Amino acid sequence: MLAKIWGELKNFISLRSLQARIFIIILAVGVIPGVLMRYGILTNYEERSVEQRVATVQNQLLIVGNHLVSNNYFNTDKADEQSRAVINAELEMISNLYEGRVMVINSALKVVKDTYGISEGKTIISEEVIRCLRGESMSHYDKDHGYIEMTTPIVNNNGSEDGSSTIVGVMLTSISNDAIVSTMEVLSRKAMILEYLMLVGIVALAIILSRVLIRPFNRVTEAINEVKAGYSDEAISVPDYVETVHIVDAFNQVLRRMKALDDSRQEFVANVSHELKTPMTSIKVLADSLLAQDNAPAELYREFMEDIVSEIDRENQIITDLLALVKMDKKVQELNIVSLNINDLTELILKRLRPIARKKDVEVVFESMRPVVAEVDEVKMTLIMTNLVENAIKYNKEHGWVKVELDADHQYFTFCVSDSGMGIPEESLPHIYERFFRVDKSHSREIGGTGLGLAITKNAVLMHRGSITVTSVEGEGTSFTVRIPLTYIAGNNGQSVQKREELQ
């Protein structure tokens, strides 16, 4: 139990778990927008507060500037001392109210009034002041040092009706941003508290959602484990998500294939047992018959012994074919690939089989469209051709025909065997490559054979990475077409055979 928990925790930490990834995605989706929103709100508040503070101070300074002009503040001869005192008081009030400093500078860049009282009478040369005298007022927010600096022009309208004016001085003002910073700190603390509360809620939500969203996949795993443990062999269904449907469909296809393979193995064992038992039963019956007769004539002994030998030969043929099939079923089957003249091989095989055809008065015709040279295993290629042609002869009608055609293109060569035989019923076509399958078992017994020939042929074709197809009309004849690459491509033959069997 502890090992299982540790394994899940390890997968969660290493992000190999889908649940961990869902948890992180939900957490990120919930937390990141909150952090960005807090930063955006505080930044926007700061900018708006600075703009509002600058606008407020500028308005007050413009009013004071009008007072400076109307009371001839820069002309000490004409200025009223009482008026100057009032204006100085206004400047001091602004300086104290905003915790800053105000300097009044005339057009000669001389400081006329400094609320700090340290620069009066001095000349100040500043880019901001010079630009303001030219009509370009400005403001600058220095967040690092905690102040706002601005310039305000002192405008003399000259009392003219055309609206012309003259800038006679500048007020250079620096004000503190402590009030803005204090308010932002309060807002930031409240936002952080809200973020922590949201984080707790989002973490809880992420845990719940990650568990809920992953639950269908857990059900898939549990269902697969039940099948694996042998508690069930039924198809599973988890239709919660499209992804689980795809996974379940793929698993059910594998399960069906496993069932089909298991059924095929059981049927194969049953067929092998039956096919091997039948000749033995016949041999035993014949032997018991001989033993039961005390004075049996020699002719009867000879007849029974011939039957026994025939049954032994049939059993030996079944065992030989089974061994050949088992060898081809191995996952890694070595092929002895050589460059072979297929025309010559076909002529040689037909020469061997024509005596069998003459006994049934079956005409064998070979038609070659062009010379064909291919990279094949000679033994297995011989097996393919021999099985197909021999079946076409055996399962043919009296005075029938067998036509063998050989053709090729730039990639494949085609070996086609057609006959005028009894044909194959349509419902039997999907089963003809099954081991021990016979279309007409009684007739097959008379002709001979083990029912393994086409299974062996198909495996040999697939090992060459080729294909075999059949068309047949019952009572009219059958045509097998084998298509094999001219050039053999090396690879994992077992996997290739298995894949092609799935495609057939």
Side-chain angles (χ1 to χ4, degrees):
M1 184 66 180
L2 291 175
K4 182 179 179 181
I5 295 174
W6 169 246
E8 291 180 357
L9 182 61
K10 188 176 180 181
N11 289 333
F12 189 89
I13 295 173
S14 64
L15 299 183
R16 293 181 59 192
S17 168
L18 178 60
Q19 183 177 347
R21 297 185 182 186
I22 293 175
F23 173 81
I24 291 175
I25 291 172
I26 296 174
L27 188 64
V29 169
V31 172
I32 293 176
V35 173
L36 294 177
M37 184 173 65
R38 177 175 67 86
Y39 175 79
I41 290 174
L42 291 178
T43 302
N44 184 65
Y45 169 78
E46 186 177 22
E47 292 176 354
R48 293 294 302 273
S49 298
V50 169
E51 291 176 1
Q52 187 176 4
R53 196 173 183 84
V54 168
T56 302
V57 175
Q58 285 280 26
N59 289 335
Q60 294 182 7
L61 291 176
L62 287 174
I63 294 172
V64 174
N66 291 333
H67 291 171
L68 291 174
V69 174
S70 61
N71 290 287
N72 294 315
Y73 188 83
F74 292 106
N75 192 340
T76 56
D77 296 334
K78 297 181 180 180
D80 184 6
E81 290 299 329
Q82 185 177 358
S83 299
R84 287 177 63 86
V86 171
I87 293 172
N88 289 335
E90 291 179 353
L91 294 172
E92 292 291 343
M93 181 189 67
I94 293 173
S95 177
N96 294 330
L97 180 63
Y98 296 104
E99 299 178 356
R101 177 184 183 184
V102 181
M103 290 190 293
V104 179
I105 305 168
N106 60 18
S107 58
L109 303 179
K110 184 177 180 180
V111 178
V112 177
K113 174 63 180 176
D114 181 4
T115 56
Y116 277 15
I118 57 177
S119 297
E120 292 181 358
K122 295 181 180 179
T123 300
I124 182 169
I125 300 176
S126 170
E127 180 183 359
E128 292 81 2
V129 174
I130 294 173
R131 291 174 63 181
C132 187
L133 287 172
R134 294 175 180 174
E136 300 179 23
S137 59
M138 52 76 65
S139 64
H140 170 66
Y141 175 46
D142 192 335
K143 184 176 181 180
D144 296 332
H145 296 87
Y147 68 88
I148 304 171
E149 187 177 68
M150 66 189 78
T151 56
T152 307
I154 303 172
V155 181
N156 184 2
N157 292 323
N158 300 320
S160 60
E161 296 180 356
D162 58 359
S164 62
S165 60
T166 304
I167 298 176
V168 297
V170 175
M171 283 184 287
L172 180 62
T173 309
S174 298
I175 59 176
S176 173
N177 70 336
D178 290 345
I180 298 174
V181 171
S182 299
T183 305
M184 287 184 61
E185 288 177 353
V186 173
L187 290 175
S188 180
R189 283 195 297 271
K190 292 182 178 180
M192 287 295 293
I193 294 173
L194 183 61
E195 274 187 17
Y196 288 140
L197 294 175
M198 289 178 58
L199 179 62
V200 173
I202 291 169
V203 168
L205 181 64
I207 292 174
I208 295 171
L209 287 179
S210 62
R211 287 182 177 274
V212 170
L213 294 175
I214 207 69
R215 194 171 296 163
F217 294 98
N218 292 335
R219 289 205 298 271
V220 172
T221 303
E222 291 172 2
I224 292 175
N225 287 335
E226 287 187 1
V227 174
K228 182 178 70 175
Y231 300 135
S232 172
D233 60 354
E234 298 297 325
I236 62 177
S237 175
V238 184
D240 299 64
Y241 306 138
V242 174
E243 291 77 9
T244 58
V245 171
H246 290 167
I247 294 172
V248 166
D249 285 346
F251 177 77
N252 288 337
Q253 290 177 16
V254 173
L255 186 62
R256 285 194 294 270
R257 177 159 180 78
M258 289 173 61
K259 287 182 179 180
L261 289 174
D262 189 52
D263 294 341
S264 176
R265 290 190 185 97
Q266 293 180 7
E267 184 180 357
F268 176 67
V269 172
N271 289 335
V272 168
S273 301
H274 175 74
E275 293 294 332
L276 293 177
K277 186 178 178 180
T278 301
M280 297 299 295
T281 302
S282 299
I283 293 171
K284 189 175 187 313
V285 169
L286 291 170
D288 289 343
S289 299
L290 287 176
L291 290 174
Q293 300 183 36
D294 295 332
N295 299 314
E299 292 79 7
L300 183 62
Y301 266 98
R302 183 175 184 83
E303 181 183 350
F304 276 30
M305 290 304 295
E306 287 177 353
D307 291 340
I308 290 173
V309 170
S310 176
E311 293 297 328
I312 292 174
D313 288 341
R314 189 156 72 89
E315 180 133 355
N316 183 60
Q317 183 62 43
I318 293 173
I319 294 172
T320 301
D321 287 348
L322 281 173
L323 290 175
L325 196 58
V326 169
K327 288 180 181 179
M328 289 188 183
D329 279 344
K330 289 183 178 179
K331 291 300 180 184
V332 179
Q333 174 68 32
E334 294 293 335
L335 292 178
N336 185 20
I337 300 299
V338 294
S339 182
L340 193 65
N341 189 310
I342 306 299
N343 303 72
D344 293 344
L345 179 63
T346 306
E347 290 282 5
L348 179 61
I349 292 170
L350 296 182
K351 182 179 179 181
R352 294 173 182 170
L353 295 176
R354 278 195 174 97
I356 301 175
R358 292 193 197 101
K359 291 180 181 179
K360 295 191 65 173
D361 194 20
V362 174
E363 182 184 7
V364 179
V365 179
F366 176 44
E367 184 177 348
S368 176
M369 306 300 177
R370 58 181 53 81
V372 178
V373 177
E375 296 177 0
V376 294
D377 184 304
E378 184 174 2
V379 174
K380 291 178 176 56
M381 197 67 231
T382 301
L383 189 64
I384 294 169
M385 294 180 172
T386 301
N387 281 343
L388 293 178
V389 177
E390 188 173 7
N391 282 350
I393 295 172
K394 287 181 178 180
Y395 295 94
N396 214 317
K397 300 175 182 178
E398 293 290 337
H399 315 297
W401 53 266
V402 174
K403 184 178 181 181
V404 178
E405 296 176 273
L406 183 64
D407 197 0
D409 56 22
H410 63 290
Q411 284 186 316
Y412 297 87
F413 76 88
T414 304
F415 178 78
C416 182
V417 179
S418 305
D419 63 61
S420 60
M422 60 186 71
I424 303 172
E426 186 176 355
E427 63 273 11
S428 299
L429 285 175
H431 306 287
I432 60 174
Y433 300 110
E434 295 176 5
R435 298 158 184 178
F436 296 110
F437 178 82
R438 292 184 176 92
V439 177
D440 185 352
K441 293 187 177 181
S442 60
H443 191 62
S444 297
R445 293 286 183 185
E446 297 173 4
I447 296 174
T450 61
L452 296 172
L454 287 179
I456 295 172
T457 300
K458 181 179 179 181
N459 271 13
V461 170
L462 295 178
M463 288 172 63
H464 285 85
R465 304 193 178 189
S467 63
I468 180 170
T469 57
V470 59
T471 58
S472 182
V473 178
E474 190 174 7
E476 295 184 11
T478 305
S479 176
F480 282 91
T481 302
V482 175
R483 194 165 178 258
I484 293 178
L486 293 171
T487 303
Y488 178 78
I489 301 175
N492 191 326
N493 296 317
Q495 292 180 358
S496 176
V497 168
Q498 186 177 5
K499 186 177 292 185
R500 287 189 177 273
E501 283 180 341
E502 293 173 358
L503 295 176
Q504 291 296 323

